[in-house]
């Protein structure tokens, strides 16, 4: 019989890299399933990292129209001088991605608070005011003269 290293072998005491990886993959999958509220049958051996696992049904990711990332991008576009702070913009978008991730519920409260602080900081320079020509174009439906 071949010397097989997997999660079962890890439970028996083996601590080689293959067995540790199998155990961590199994633990990560269980934690992810628990966060998303999907009940999974218990397995003795986790699937190998090369075997694709089917996506667990659960809360779906928001569409582009209702995503926090899209809203943050739109709001940042209206701030004067926001492009001068690429690090703050990147951080705000990363926090928005956390808020768009249904399995990261535990981090949502902290991410939302920090995102609000960043948006206030970015908005201190003020909002861009539309020009008269831009307002006229908007009213005409985006047609240019």
């Amino acid at each position: 019989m071949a010397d097989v290293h997997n999660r079962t072998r890890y439970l028996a005491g083996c601590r080689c890299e293959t067995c540790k990886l199998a155990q961590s993959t199994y633990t990560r999958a269980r934690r992810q399933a628990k966060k998303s509220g999907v009940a999974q049958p218990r397995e003795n051996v986790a699937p190998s990292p090369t075997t694709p696992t089917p996506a667990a049904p659960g809360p779906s990711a928001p569409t582009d129209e209702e995503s926090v990332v899209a809203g943050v991008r739109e709001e940042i576009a209206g701030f004067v001088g926001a492009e001068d702070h690429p690090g703050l913009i990147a951080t705000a978008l990363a926090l928005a991605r956390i808020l768009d991730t249904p399995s990261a519920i535990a981090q949502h409260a902290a991410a939302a608070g920090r995102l609000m602080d960043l948006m206030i900081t970015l908005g201190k320079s003020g909002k861009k005011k539309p020009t008269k020509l831009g307002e006229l174009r908007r009213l005409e439906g985006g047609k240019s003269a």
Side-chain angles (χ1 to χ4, degrees), residues 62-71 74 100:
T63 62
D64 286 341
E65 294 173 352
E66 57 189 29
S67 77
V68 179
V69 174
E74 187 177 322
D100 278 340

Side-chain angles (χ1 to χ4, degrees), residues 71-106:
V72 167
R73 283 185 197 276
E74 187 177 322
E75 193 167 342
I76 287 174
F79 291 151
V80 175
E83 58 275 354
D84 296 338
H85 304 285
L88 292 178
I89 292 172
T91 305
L93 292 173
L95 290 169
R97 274 188 232 100
I98 290 172
L99 292 172
D100 278 340
T101 306
S103 61
I105 298 236

Side-chain angles (χ1 to χ4, degrees), residues 29-30 32-41 55-59:
R30 291 223 29 218
Q32 204 76 8
K34 186 176 180 181
K35 284 181 186 178
S36 65
V38 177
Q40 273 190 324

